[in-house]
């Protein structure tokens, strides 16, 4: 083919259109493939002891409301915990899963109305609906009495409901409150029977 000015113009014009088309295609493909990564926040757990409730023989236990410490008593609860896990679902993955916060055995000393930090964990954005706490054992010292009373544990595993929401780049604080009920009179547990009991509950702190 004879290369005339017209042919050369047409040839370079077609080459230019092909290159431009390739650039447009690549740009379109790369602009639509956007990786999506989950966002993470901190989930933190604190423990606290509610004022103990004296329970008469044969009566049902009644507990002080969470964070109601108008009747302050110098009680001391020692709780030995095993594993601690949280049950959560992510914003990008609605499937609920268990995540371990603590695996080692740990003894925590709680005094009435005083918070103790248990631990924190990084989680993707989503909801935490349960906190599972395995309790190995517990004792309580009521007031200034030097006697340590065993706390009865019907089940070593406590599934504590919560309505916590983990959001990105923030810390969600959950307070687990131990409500203790004991007989009106202190026992030295010489018979080896547990006389006190506790029930944990959880609330999200502001």
């Amino acid at each position: 083919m004879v290369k005339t000015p017209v042919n050369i113009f047409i040839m370079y014009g077609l080459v230019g259109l092909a290159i431009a088309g390739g650039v447009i295609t690549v740009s379109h493909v790369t602009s639509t493939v956007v990786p999506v990564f989950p966002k993470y926040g901190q989930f933190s757990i604190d423990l606290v002891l509610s004022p103990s409730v004296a329970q008469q023989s044969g009566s049902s236990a009644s507990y002080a409301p969470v964070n109601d410490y108008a009747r302050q008593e110098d009680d001391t609860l020692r709780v030995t915990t095993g594993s601690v896990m949280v049950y959560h679902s992510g914003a990008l993955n609605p499937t609920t899963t268990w995540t371990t916060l603590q695996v080692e055995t740990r003894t925590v000393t709680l005094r009435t109305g005083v918070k103790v930090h248990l631990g924190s964990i990084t989680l993707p954005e989503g909801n935490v609906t349960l906190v599972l706490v395995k309790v190995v054992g517990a004792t309580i010292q009521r007031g200034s009495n030097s006697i340590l009373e065993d706390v009865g544990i019907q089940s070593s595993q406590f599934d504590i409901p919560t309505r916590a929401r983990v959001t990105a780049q923030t810390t969600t604080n959950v307070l687990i409150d131990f409500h203790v009920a004991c007989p009106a009179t202190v026992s030295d547990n010489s018979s080896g029977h547990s006389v006190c009991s506790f029930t944990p509950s959880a609330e999200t702190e502001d």
Side-chain angles (χ1 to χ4, degrees):
M1 183 179 67
V2 179
K3 293 184 178 180
T4 64
V6 175
N7 291 338
I8 293 173
F9 176 79
I10 294 174
M11 180 178 64
Y12 280 106
L14 292 174
V15 172
L17 288 175
I19 294 174
V23 171
I24 293 172
T25 303
V26 172
S27 299
H28 176 71
V29 171
T30 55
S31 65
T32 55
V33 180
V34 179
V36 178
F37 300 100
K39 299 178 180 179
Y40 290 86
Q42 286 290 311
F43 182 78
S44 176
I45 296 179
D46 292 333
L47 307 179
V48 72
L49 173 63
S50 285
S52 61
V53 176
Q55 182 180 3
Q56 300 295 332
S57 178
S59 65
S60 58
S62 59
Y63 302 108
V66 175
N67 291 338
D68 181 9
Y69 303 107
R71 185 172 62 86
Q72 292 284 350
E73 293 184 2
D74 188 21
D75 296 338
T76 301
L77 178 69
R78 292 179 178 86
V79 181
T80 301
T81 61
S83 61
V84 178
M85 305 178 70
V86 296
Y87 196 56
H88 66 94
S89 60
L92 299 179
N93 182 11
T95 304
T96 50
T97 57
W98 286 102
T99 299
T100 302
L101 185 144
Q102 172 188 308
V103 291
E104 71 278 1
T105 301
R106 176 185 175 187
T107 299
V108 181
T109 300
L110 303 176
R111 292 180 174 83
T112 306
V114 180
K115 296 179 185 178
V116 174
H117 183 62
L118 181 64
S120 301
I121 191 172
T122 301
L123 295 175
E125 281 191 323
N127 299 314
V128 177
T129 55
L130 279 177
V131 176
L132 184 151
V133 179
K134 290 188 177 180
V135 177
V136 178
T139 59
I140 188 170
Q141 180 180 341
R142 286 191 274 169
S144 58
N145 197 303
S146 60
I147 297 176
L148 288 177
E149 300 177 76
D150 289 335
V151 176
I153 303 173
Q154 295 181 352
S155 173
S156 62
Q157 177 175 307
F158 291 91
D159 296 325
I160 309 169
T162 182
R163 295 180 179 178
R165 172 74 181 174
V166 176
T167 55
Q169 300 180 349
T170 61
T171 299
T172 301
N173 297 296
V174 167
L175 181 67
I176 294 181
D177 201 309
F178 286 89
H179 310 270
V180 180
C182 293
T185 57
V186 176
S187 170
D188 61 3
N189 291 328
S190 58
S191 62
H193 297 296
S194 301
V195 292
C196 297
S197 62
F198 67 72
T199 303
S201 64
E203 68 170 9
T204 303
E205 298 182 278
D206 297 329

